[in-house]
Amino acid sequence: MNGKWWHNAVGYIIYPQAFKDSNGDGIGDLNGIIEKLDYLSFLGVNLLWIGPIFDSANPYNGYDSRDFLTLAPRYGDMADLKRLLDEAHARGIRIIMDFPLNHTCKEHPWFQKALKDPTSEEAGYYYIERGKRKGRKLLPPCNWESFSEDSVWTRIGKSEYFYLHVFSNDIPDLNWSNPKLREKMYEALRYYLDMGVDGFRLDALAHLAKDTSWSDSSLPVKENGCAFDTSKYSNRPELYEYLRLLKQEVFSHYDCLIVGEVGGSVTPEGALKMASWHDGYINMVFNFDTVWNNHNYGSIDKKDDEIKTEVAELKKNFMRWYEVCGGKCDMPLYWCNHDHPRVLSQYGNPKYREESAKMLFTTILFLYGNDFIYFGDEIGMSNAEYDSLDDYLVDAGMRPEIERFRKQGYSDEWILHYLNRSSRINSRLPMQWDDSENAGFSDAKPLFRANPNYLRGVNVKDEMKDTDSIFHFYKYAIGIRKDPMINEQVLNCRLRLEDPENEDVFAYIHDGMEKIMVVSNMRDHDVDFTFYYRITDIMLHNYDGLMLSDGKLHLRPYESLLLRIS
Ligand code: NOJ
């Protein structure tokens, strides 16, 4: 452990569009975040990850920059960002910006220039390649499938050329093998670090490097003529060289926190190579292994009773990462971000809102690493429960998906139910500040309608009033987690699962003179848990009274404890 400032940080993720609107246009903004800094400071978080705020065309909600050196006017301008940084720093809160460095939107001037002249310097900032002639047909340069389930290549008008996009064709990939492009990106990153930003969450980092031989994948080709083969554009060896250069040219010159979002089947060993204290290039790696352990992902064909948290698998996935990375690099922890349904609906249970929200927080907060709370989890926000598909159709990205399901024969009612259960829109609804119109988020109608449960106590104002609330539990738990002795033990003493195969209970222990133990029942029913330790302190508990006898801890639905044991 090398004493970095984030070693005592509790993170908080803000999806800017949905957090707080200060100017009445229905869109959250930087001044809205400034308004709420005292709230965040009171909660106790000291590190904010702010979703992308660059000027963008916006079909991809900001993950589609039009200019890395200009902010989207809907969020504010550079003066607002500077003020946000100053105000946050004055409260001991650091800020990392989400930086989508793998792609831009089509409207970016570089791409526009590239389209006009595929031999221009800007064309070299993207992957633009000639198609393959097969008889009279012009085929894409290779057969890879994108994450949008079509070819990664889109033809440029009627030309011979195609551009590459591993996501949708709205967001062409940048060519990181080009030193000139890399230099442009370094400049942009330095600009924000010089301004006082404390680091970045690097979006889609796994995909910076591609197999530029553009050879066809040998994996099975689907009906669309493409093979889904992420080995062609995810976590490739060249990626490590780009990271090394990023560190050498930019990150090593600042006291910054760099968190990579590394999907695409990254292994813990690969993540350690990226983030190792010893010779890594960045500081932490977000993986997706622990957010969908309940069969919910892509579950359009499933009924609700097939969705069940696989507790043993979940524990195994956390530990798989800990075993490799623990004590060798920093690790982020999270239950939810803007790409997932709300964790209360995913692994918890809105019917047991208080119990399950508190249980989930206790469970993740004391694992090895830095927790990132997703905004609204601290007041028990849950999935949307919309009653019409129209509420989803306002999102440009949802339309093709809904159309695809309709074509596959699913009824609108079925699709709606599925989206209410699994869509990432669920976590993009307005933050629920109070019980006034639009949950106190904005005077104007927001893009996504707020969850009406803001009228039934699920809002900051009501949560603050009740000293037993989820909010106060979070605040108290964060205080414990930040205690230097506890922090030291969580980060430096060995972590092990208790009864790893248990299908219902998530329990773990940090060794030490006096051990720290978390025991969490992840079910909506009572469970008995074998328990022979001597409890010396109950530091957190989401129920009254302990039911312990004959070596059995009787746990009520979602009951959870943070204990000191010997
Ligand atoms: C991952 C981001 O979290 C997601 O929201 C975005 O759509 C893709 N990267 C593409 O930038």
Side-chain angles (χ1 to χ4, degrees):
M1 175 84 24
N2 44 9
K4 294 288 194 187
W5 58 258
W6 53 87
H7 287 154
N8 82 340
V10 176
Y12 188 91
I13 308 171
I14 291 183
Y15 193 63
Q17 170 182 301
F19 190 63
K20 179 71 179 107
D21 173 21
S22 72
N23 61 356
D25 62 0
I27 303 168
D29 47 48
L30 295 177
N31 284 323
I33 302 175
I34 296 173
E35 268 178 37
K36 297 299 177 186
L37 284 174
D38 284 335
Y39 164 79
L40 295 169
S41 168
F42 184 66
L43 174 62
V45 297
N46 49 0
L47 168 63
L48 307 182
W49 148 15
I50 299 197
I53 51 172
F54 305 114
D55 184 33
S56 81
N58 213 29
Y60 249 70
N61 297 309
Y63 287 99
D64 46 354
S65 161
R66 183 160 47 194
D67 178 2
F68 291 107
L69 293 174
T70 311
L71 302 187
R74 62 185 179 280
Y75 294 131
D77 58 21
M78 287 299 173
D80 297 324
L81 177 59
K82 183 74 184 105
R83 201 157 64 85
L84 171 61
L85 292 169
D86 291 345
E87 294 281 342
H89 291 161
R91 291 165 177 81
I93 297 176
R94 311 258 193 162
I95 294 190
I96 61 172
M97 289 175 88
D98 206 327
F99 204 103
L101 76 178
N102 177 66
H103 40 259
T104 68
C105 64
K106 285 191 298 193
E107 290 74 6
H108 195 295
W110 296 342
F111 192 66
Q112 287 304 310
K113 184 94 188 282
L115 288 184
K116 281 200 198 93
D117 179 3
T119 60
S120 61
E121 173 167 329
E122 285 76 3
Y125 294 174
Y126 297 88
Y127 293 105
I128 294 182
E129 295 290 323
R130 273 179 201 275
K132 281 191 302 202
R133 281 267 163 224
K134 195 171 178 193
R136 291 169 56 108
K137 266 188 160 174
L138 183 67
L139 299 177
C142 61
N143 71 353
W144 311 345
E145 188 181 65
S146 74
F147 292 110
S148 299
E149 298 181 30
D150 50 11
S151 170
V152 295
W153 297 102
T154 291
R155 189 170 173 182
I156 302 181
K158 291 201 168 101
S159 76
E160 298 260 303
Y161 291 96
F162 289 73
Y163 67 89
L164 179 121
H165 50 88
V166 302
F167 293 97
S168 97
N169 63 7
D170 287 326
I171 46 176
D173 281 51
L174 288 166
N175 178 357
W176 275 79
S177 71
N178 179 346
K180 287 193 178 141
L181 177 274
R182 291 201 300 265
E183 196 48 55
K184 289 271 174 206
M185 301 305 280
Y186 300 156
E187 274 167 27
L189 292 161
R190 285 186 202 119
Y191 175 84
Y192 292 100
L193 291 167
D194 287 338
M195 189 189 233
V197 166
D198 300 290
F200 300 104
R201 178 259 192 195
L202 299 178
D203 179 64
L205 192 66
H207 314 302
L208 293 198
K210 291 29 179 202
D211 173 1
T212 51
S213 73
W214 311 125
S215 55
D216 278 346
S217 166
S218 52
L219 293 185
V221 171
K222 299 184 183 172
E223 265 177 31
N224 60 7
C226 303
F228 186 62
D229 183 354
T230 55
S231 72
K232 296 289 188 185
Y233 51 76
S234 303
N235 299 306
R236 297 186 54 78
E238 305 86 337
L239 169 63
Y240 295 90
E241 175 59 6
Y242 303 153
L243 294 179
R244 189 188 69 75
L245 288 168
L246 272 164
K247 179 178 176 185
Q248 177 186 294
E249 299 297 320
V250 187
F251 306 147
S252 62
H253 303 279
Y254 302 84
D255 184 18
C256 58
L257 166 63
I258 306 298
V259 186
E261 186 224 23
V262 188
S265 327
V266 66
T267 59
E269 289 77 11
L272 179 60
K273 197 169 157 197
M274 286 181 202
S276 150
W277 293 328
H278 175 53
D279 55 3
Y281 313 117
I282 61 172
N283 307 106
M284 298 182 188
V285 170
F286 266 110
N287 71 81
F288 304 164
D289 286 6
T290 48
V291 279
W292 290 104
N293 296 161
N294 63 350
H295 313 286
N296 195 9
Y297 186 76
S299 62
I300 181 78
D301 55 341
K302 292 199 169 75
K303 297 204 184 100
D304 284 354
D305 58 10
E306 293 174 78
I307 310 300
K308 182 184 174 209
T309 306
E310 297 295 352
V311 179
E313 181 189 320
L314 183 65
K315 292 185 281 190
K316 207 163 124 199
N317 284 342
F318 273 115
M319 291 309 281
R320 192 166 84 87
W321 283 81
Y322 172 72
E323 296 300 347
V324 176
C325 298
K328 297 198 184 81
C329 69
D330 296 318
M331 271 174 60
L333 299 161
Y334 73 119
W335 281 133
C336 183
N337 67 27
H338 61 287
D339 287 333
H340 312 296
R342 283 270 170 196
V343 68
L344 189 76
S345 307
Q346 180 83 327
Y347 293 152
N349 186 338
K351 287 190 197 128
Y352 290 91
R353 184 174 147 262
E354 298 251 342
E355 295 84 349
S356 62
K358 293 173 183 175
M359 176 280 288
L360 286 165
F361 194 48
T362 306
T363 309
I364 199 153
L365 189 62
F366 294 89
L367 285 169
Y368 173 87
N370 288 90
D371 186 37
F372 284 77
I373 297 163
Y374 189 64
F375 82 93
D377 282 353
E378 77 278 17
I379 54 162
M381 283 173 61
S382 50
N383 278 358
E385 292 171 30
Y386 282 150
D387 47 21
S388 158
L389 271 186
D390 294 342
D391 284 310
Y392 286 104
L393 285 165
V394 293
D395 182 66
M398 289 304 299
R399 281 181 222 133
E401 192 177 338
I402 291 175
E403 273 321 305
R404 201 169 58 242
F405 291 143
R406 282 175 170 158
K407 277 199 198 116
Q408 287 166 2
Y410 294 105
S411 69
D412 278 11
E413 196 190 351
W414 185 272
I415 299 171
L416 177 66
H417 189 76
Y418 163 66
L419 294 178
N420 278 339
R421 189 177 70 210
S422 71
S423 169
R424 65 185 190 175
I425 301 296
N426 286 302
S427 60
R428 298 179 178 196
L429 269 52
M431 174 70 173
Q432 297 171 198
W433 293 105
D434 57 39
D435 56 2
S436 66
E437 205 171 356
N438 302 321
F441 159 75
S442 171
D443 297 337
K445 195 167 162 273
L447 178 64
F448 300 114
R449 200 158 51 81
N451 187 323
N453 67 11
Y454 75 85
L455 294 166
R456 300 191 301 272
V458 186
N459 65 64
V460 171
K461 191 169 139 213
D462 286 335
E463 283 276 315
M464 296 274 251
K465 275 193 273 185
D466 171 7
T467 49
D468 265 346
S469 67
I470 300 167
F471 175 87
H472 285 287
F473 186 92
Y474 262 65
K475 179 174 164 51
Y476 188 68
I478 291 171
I480 296 177
R481 179 64 186 78
K482 280 164 67 184
D483 176 301
M485 302 272 282
I486 300 271
N487 192 34
E488 165 73 18
Q489 198 167 348
V490 167
L491 295 183
N492 291 335
C493 295
R494 196 169 75 92
L495 168 70
R496 61 192 158 89
L497 291 175
E498 178 78 357
D499 193 359
E501 303 302 323
N502 193 303
E503 292 287 352
D504 305 311
V505 177
F506 196 142
Y508 59 86
I509 293 175
H510 286 282
D511 284 342
M513 291 280 277
E514 261 201 315
K515 298 177 176 54
I516 296 176
M517 181 173 197
V518 167
V519 183
S520 293
N521 175 11
M522 297 198 77
R523 298 291 177 216
D524 64 355
H525 53 78
D526 291 17
V527 164
D528 280 335
F529 186 68
T530 306
F531 189 94
Y532 284 107
Y533 296 99
R534 193 173 74 85
I535 297 175
T536 54
D537 190 12
I538 301 178
M539 294 186 277
L540 286 171
H541 192 186
N542 58 352
Y543 275 82
D544 286 332
L546 195 68
M547 299 167 82
L548 176 62
S549 63
D550 300 331
K552 291 255 176 275
L553 189 55
H554 184 76
L555 298 166
R556 289 154 281 187
Y558 303 106
E559 184 164 357
S560 174
L561 301 121
L562 173 71
L563 305 168
R564 276 215 174 278
I565 53 166
S566 60

